[in-house]
Amino acid sequence: MFTRDLEAIDQIRNDAVNVREPHVSGVRKLLAYTAQLVWMSGKFPIDIGVDFTCNLKFELANIVYNLASLYSQLANSAVRTTSAGLRSACNYFCLSAGVISFLKTTVIPDLRSTPPEDMDNMTLESLEHLLLAQAQECCWQKAVMDGLKDNSIARLAAMVSDFYTQAGEFGIKSDAISSEWIHHTTAKHHHFAAAAQFRAACEALERRKYGEEVARLRDSLECVNEALKEGKWINKTILGGLQGLKSTVQENLKRAEKDNDLIYLNPVPPKSELKSIERASMVSSKVPKELSNSGSILGDHSEYGQPLFAKLVPYAVHVAASIYAERRDRLVNTSIISEFEILTTRLHELLQSLSLPGSLQAIEKPLGLPPALISHAEEIRQQDGINRLKRSMDDINKLRNNDLATFYEGVEVLKCESAEDDRARLKYGTDQWTRPPSKEAACKLYAQVGEIEGYLQSAQSSDELVRAKLISCEDLLTLLGGNDRELEEYVPSSRRAVLTAKVGREVGTLRACLDEVGRLESRRRRKIQAVREKAQADDINTAILTEASRLEREYPMQKIEPAQFEDLFEQRLARYDVERMVLLEEQEEQNQLISRLGEANKSFLNARAGDSLSKAREQALQKLEGAYFKYREIVANLDGGRKFYNDLAKIAGRFRDECKNFVYQRRMEAAQMESDVTVAMSSLHISQSSSLKQQKMQEKQQQQYGSKAPTEKPLTAPVPTRATITPTAGMWNPEIGIKFGASTGNSGTGPPNVGANRGQWDPTRGGMRFG
């Protein structure tokens, strides 16, 4: 039925994920797929179970993130040397910020699992403000290009600075934003703060506030210097702009200070007294209509195509229908049928206490078997009586065991996950393992554990009561399921008594009351059957679909929830108010009948006082009548038990599936956390190892060069001495140093007296020799 839709969504997805270049055609492909995902998310449950990476919401989150990235690439590729290019870039940056905002506020909250670290709230906030800062920067650039007044340009620049400040503050709190980007936003913040103060200084000069001009130029120069401190993390273009701004500010500051010192002599206010520059925000996050109102862009003649799976009933409708069916069945079975059966049970308990109809049958037919007893016995034989009850009990026991297995499978999965989480928390510590414990993360599932266990315990008690009923009357039911001769042997005959007119009259009155009881029971059985047939024919699907269509038309982007059908539920359940009124009438009618029956039985007993001949027959007939009533009661109980366990099977199956899904998501989350913790601990170990190595090297150097002096008295250092050596002729003696030129005793111009001074170095005697 949906083959074409499946093929179409597969093709749309392939087109979307293969967008590589920043081109407007890629925007259309991503928007087409995004609009279909938003539309489909109301049709399917969150965990669709088909071939997506995880689920529809996670798929939508990734596509929306890619769409924001594409818008930012289109903005960066725009030509910003013209007014049209700047307007286009600004628009794309605003659309990108709007897509990030949509992802943060609409898509991520619906994820059942923890979002990736690059999609957490702090990261998305930082990205959104970074995109808005760039959009505002385009407005500032256009204002400069168009030659607007200095005051307007200053206000625009101040807002750019604020956006970059907010982007950096959120980035510091994010694990995904790198330090390079934080340094970049810091530099841009100071850059535009400097630009804003420079333009404010120019505006002060026009207003002849020369002291304020000097103060703002000084502040602008300080901001430029702060931005240049981040120079190693910014590109050459921005660095060149900062240096150019610094030169301009310095020149203007030198001129302003000179003019003010020599001519104007205005006091220069401190920075704290300068009026804050007003902000002029020209941008905001713009969510594309294809995201905010996807239902309106999909249609037969739309460029994005018609909505796929249009004939598929939204998942919320299925949930709403099941909720209504559960409430309807509970109302019918608990508030109507069960109350009818309780009335019948009370009536039969009263008859049993009055020994009716056994006492009356013993008088009316002293010999043989009464027709009513024969009819009851035939009914039990046709239904295979006792064997039918035992087979039903075996079937119910199998259903119970299956429900238990399904339920405890889910419980065991939860226990295993809880144990895994506790081991991880013990291994890594609560500082590293920061996610909530299993019982907090899945509080609803753990609450369901207690509810389902309560259902099972209550059902087990009911099963034991039914089993006890069967045991108490098993012999009599076996007798009723046998042949008539065995019954005749069990029921003793009595001699025919002569009835007086008074006794005959009371017998007739009592028989009339008992017949009325029989007619009341017959009418009640027909009413119960009519209520069951009415409940079976009560199909709310058409009404829910009509209401869902109305909701989709009036609120196309609002997610359909089962709670939106509460008014419809109340209207439909009001149809059973008639049966509830009939129940009250039945109760009143039965009370009146019981009153008449009690009076008739009292008169009957008074009339036949002293007659003990039919006592044994009366007791036997009454036991068989009571056994037949218990048989019908057990049959009704077993039917109710079978329905209960079938309904419980759905609840247990849904509980098990939810447990498996929760555990799957938690294990994915745990794997990611364990990976992050491992990487963090590895970095810590490397840092500690480096620190330890550095510490050891320092200790070693201290031991070699800078160790502490011992506390004992130090040894006296030896004084170096030279041995007295008689110098060899022509050998240099370090004791007499080195002397150049002639001796002091020869002042003439002729050659020196070589042998005149022994020990004096003579370069003409073969150079220098060491000992």
Side-chain angles (χ1 to χ4, degrees):
M1 179 178 180
F2 298 105
T3 303
R4 293 184 178 179
D5 289 342
L6 290 170
E7 293 174 351
I9 194 63
D10 187 55
Q11 182 60 47
I12 294 173
R13 184 178 190 273
N14 288 333
D15 293 341
V17 299
N18 289 319
V19 172
R20 295 289 186 268
E21 301 297 328
H23 193 270
V24 290
S25 61
V27 173
R28 182 193 172 280
K29 294 175 181 178
L30 287 172
L31 284 175
Y33 186 42
T34 303
Q36 293 289 354
L37 285 176
V38 174
W39 163 258
M40 289 165 53
S41 61
K43 298 284 187 178
F44 295 98
I46 291 178
D47 301 299
I48 182 176
V50 299
D51 190 19
F52 286 131
T53 303
C54 183
N55 55 48
L56 279 179
K57 290 297 182 182
F58 191 77
E59 177 84 356
L60 178 61
N62 284 279
I63 293 298
V64 169
Y65 194 91
N66 288 348
L67 179 61
S69 176
L70 181 59
Y71 273 131
S72 68
Q73 291 177 33
L74 288 171
N76 285 317
S77 63
V79 179
R80 302 196 203 180
T81 56
T82 64
S83 295
L86 287 171
R87 282 195 298 269
S88 177
C90 179
N91 181 56
Y92 282 134
F93 278 128
C94 290
L95 287 172
S96 182
V99 173
I100 292 293
S101 176
F102 179 82
L103 174 64
K104 177 186 63 179
T105 59
T106 305
V107 180
I108 295 299
D110 284 342
L111 287 180
R112 288 189 175 181
S113 59
T114 302
E117 65 176 11
D118 56 351
M119 290 187 190
D120 67 347
N121 193 61
M122 292 296 104
T123 302
L124 295 179
E125 287 282 2
S126 179
L127 291 177
E128 182 180 358
H129 284 88
L130 180 61
L131 292 164
L132 291 175
Q134 295 176 90
Q136 180 78 7
E137 187 174 347
C138 291
C139 297
W140 167 83
Q141 190 173 351
K142 186 177 183 299
V144 174
M145 184 182 299
D146 294 344
L148 297 185
K149 292 183 178 180
D150 291 320
N151 183 41
S152 300
I153 297 176
R155 295 171 63 192
L156 293 172
M159 195 67 236
V160 176
S161 178
D162 289 350
F163 277 132
Y164 277 118
T165 300
Q166 293 169 344
E169 289 176 352
F170 285 116
I172 293 173
K173 301 175 184 178
S174 167
D175 295 331
I177 304 296
S178 63
S179 59
E180 288 81 0
W181 273 106
I182 295 174
H183 286 294
H184 174 82
T185 56
T186 302
K188 297 287 281 186
H189 154 64
H190 290 303
H191 184 178
F192 279 93
Q197 288 290 14
F198 174 71
R199 290 289 179 169
C202 295
E203 198 262 341
L205 177 61
E206 291 179 3
R207 293 185 290 111
R208 299 181 179 182
K209 294 186 176 182
Y210 305 108
E212 180 183 343
E213 178 195 11
V214 173
R216 291 194 182 276
L217 286 172
R218 288 174 180 174
D219 187 49
S220 178
L221 185 59
E222 289 180 6
C223 292
V224 170
N225 290 330
E226 288 294 326
L228 287 173
K229 291 179 182 179
E230 311 290 343
K232 61 182 294 187
W233 287 283
I234 56 180
N235 59 41
K236 294 181 180 180
T237 303
I238 299 176
L239 187 59
L242 279 170
Q243 290 171 344
L245 178 61
K246 180 177 181 181
S247 299
T248 302
V249 172
Q250 284 177 332
E251 292 174 2
N252 281 269
L253 178 60
K254 183 178 180 181
R255 186 263 312 154
E257 287 179 336
K258 181 179 179 181
D259 291 348
N260 190 55
D261 292 341
L262 297 178
I263 303 173
Y264 307 114
L265 303 177
N266 284 353
V268 178
K271 181 180 178 179
S272 59
E273 294 182 6
L274 290 176
K275 182 181 178 182
S276 178
I277 300 174
E278 294 182 4
R279 269 57 174 169
S281 178
M282 304 298 292
V283 298
S284 62
S285 301
K286 294 166 55 178
V287 181
K289 65 177 182 179
E290 291 83 358
L291 294 182
S292 61
N293 193 12
S294 62
S296 63
I297 68 167
L298 296 175
D300 295 334
H301 304 292
S302 171
E303 62 173 324
Y304 298 100
Q306 61 182 1
L308 301 177
F309 305 98
K311 296 182 179 180
L312 184 65
V313 177
Y315 180 67
V317 172
H318 290 285
V319 176
S322 63
I323 291 175
Y324 174 75
E326 181 181 351
R327 292 186 184 179
R328 178 201 62 207
D329 292 344
R330 184 167 62 247
L331 172 66
V332 170
N333 293 323
T334 304
S335 301
I336 299 176
I337 294 178
S338 179
E339 293 297 325
F340 274 128
E341 291 175 347
I342 289 174
L343 289 177
T344 303
T345 301
R346 290 174 181 171
L347 184 59
H348 280 273
E349 289 176 351
L350 176 65
L351 293 175
Q352 192 72 17
S353 65
L354 298 177
S355 298
L356 292 173
S359 60
L360 185 61
Q361 290 174 345
I363 295 294
E364 291 177 331
K365 190 172 178 59
L367 301 175
L369 298 175
L373 181 60
I374 295 174
S375 175
H376 295 338
E378 185 63 26
E379 179 183 344
I380 293 176
R381 291 180 195 132
Q382 290 179 356
Q383 297 178 358
D384 198 17
I386 192 69
N387 293 325
R388 174 195 177 183
L389 298 181
K390 290 183 177 180
R391 285 195 302 269
S392 296
M393 285 189 171
D394 292 339
D395 293 341
I396 289 176
N397 192 45
K398 291 178 182 178
L399 290 174
R400 172 182 170 79
N401 291 335
N402 290 336
D403 292 351
L404 285 172
T406 303
F407 168 64
Y408 284 118
E409 182 181 355
V411 172
E412 190 63 28
V413 167
L414 284 181
K415 288 182 179 179
C416 291
E417 192 280 328
S418 180
E420 293 171 2
D421 185 66
D422 290 341
R423 285 195 297 269
R425 185 170 284 101
L426 184 63
K427 179 179 178 180
Y428 296 109
T430 55
D431 291 338
Q432 298 287 343
W433 204 256
T434 56
R435 69 175 184 173
S438 300
K439 289 188 177 181
E440 293 182 11
C443 55
K444 292 183 178 179
L445 289 177
Y446 278 93
Q448 284 184 351
V449 172
E451 292 177 3
I452 296 177
E453 285 180 343
Y455 296 154
L456 290 169
Q457 291 176 358
S458 176
Q460 184 177 6
S461 300
S462 300
D463 294 344
E464 292 174 355
L465 288 175
V466 173
R467 193 172 292 108
K469 283 182 185 179
L470 178 59
I471 293 174
S472 65
C473 63
E474 185 174 359
D475 294 340
L476 292 174
L477 291 178
T478 303
L479 186 63
L480 286 169
N483 51 50
D484 289 345
R485 191 168 70 177
E486 293 175 347
L487 278 175
E488 290 174 351
E489 291 176 355
Y490 178 78
V491 178
S493 298
S494 61
R495 64 180 181 82
R496 184 178 298 276
V498 178
L499 299 179
T500 63
K502 182 179 179 182
V503 172
R505 190 167 53 252
E506 298 301 334
V507 167
T509 303
L510 185 57
R511 169 52 60 189
C513 290
L514 288 177
D515 291 343
E516 191 173 350
V517 169
R519 288 191 295 271
L520 177 64
E521 285 191 58
S522 298
R523 289 197 306 272
R524 188 168 292 168
R525 284 194 294 269
R526 289 194 296 270
K527 289 176 182 178
I528 291 175
Q529 185 61 30
V531 173
R532 285 176 175 158
E533 292 175 355
K534 181 178 180 179
Q536 291 176 355
D538 186 6
D539 186 5
I540 199 176
N541 289 329
T542 302
I544 288 182
L545 286 174
T546 303
E547 180 67 10
S549 299
R550 183 188 68 81
L551 293 172
E552 287 180 344
R553 287 193 308 271
E554 296 181 4
Y555 312 100
M557 279 308 297
Q558 184 177 354
K559 182 181 178 182
I560 296 180
E561 299 287 350
Q564 294 172 292
F565 300 95
E566 286 294 335
D567 292 340
L568 178 61
F569 293 165
E570 294 296 329
Q571 294 174 7
R572 299 282 295 203
L573 293 176
R575 297 182 176 185
Y576 297 93
D577 291 344
V578 176
E579 284 72 17
R580 302 176 79 170
M581 293 298 298
V582 170
L583 176 64
L584 296 176
E585 295 173 358
E586 284 274 324
Q587 186 174 2
E588 181 64 26
E589 182 180 357
Q590 178 168 311
N591 290 336
Q592 296 176 1
L593 178 58
I594 287 174
S595 178
R596 294 196 301 271
L597 183 64
E599 294 177 358
N601 185 66
K602 184 177 180 181
S603 300
F604 168 72
L605 292 177
N606 292 333
R608 61 185 293 262
D611 181 11
S612 59
L613 297 177
S614 58
K615 197 66 177 178
R617 180 178 177 83
E618 174 186 329
Q619 292 176 352
L621 291 174
Q622 191 61 35
K623 287 181 180 179
L624 292 174
E625 185 70 21
Y628 169 73
F629 173 71
K630 282 191 176 180
Y631 169 78
R632 288 176 50 191
E633 187 178 342
I634 292 172
V635 169
N637 291 338
L638 292 177
D639 289 341
R642 185 181 294 105
K643 185 179 185 307
F644 169 80
Y645 283 116
N646 284 328
D647 293 340
L648 185 61
K650 298 177 183 177
I651 297 174
R654 188 162 56 245
F655 167 77
R656 178 196 59 191
D657 294 341
E658 290 178 356
C659 290
K660 288 183 175 180
N661 176 65
F662 166 75
V663 171
Y664 173 75
Q665 298 292 343
R666 288 275 286 185
R667 284 175 176 168
M668 285 184 59
E669 182 184 33
Q672 182 63 42
M673 288 183 64
E674 191 166 3
S675 175
D676 295 342
V677 172
T678 302
V679 171
M681 293 182 69
S682 299
S683 302
L684 180 62
H685 289 161
I686 293 174
S687 176
Q688 288 178 345
S689 178
S690 177
S691 300
L692 182 60
K693 185 183 294 184
Q694 185 177 2
Q695 182 180 358
K696 288 183 177 179
M697 290 179 65
Q698 291 176 352
E699 290 176 356
K700 187 175 181 180
Q701 291 175 356
Q702 289 176 358
Q703 290 175 1
Q704 291 180 353
Y705 306 109
S707 59
K708 276 189 174 183
T711 56
E712 295 90 354
K713 183 178 181 181
L715 295 175
T716 303
V719 178
T721 59
R722 288 191 177 91
T724 304
I725 300 174
T726 303
T728 307
M731 181 182 296
W732 174 67
N733 184 2
E735 293 291 337
I736 60 175
I738 299 176
K739 298 180 180 180
F740 296 92
S743 63
T744 57
N746 188 3
S747 59
T749 59
N753 186 359
V754 177
N757 193 353
R758 201 177 168 83
Q760 180 176 330
W761 179 61
D762 185 359
T764 63
R765 298 185 58 137
M768 185 183 297
R769 289 188 300 168
F770 295 91

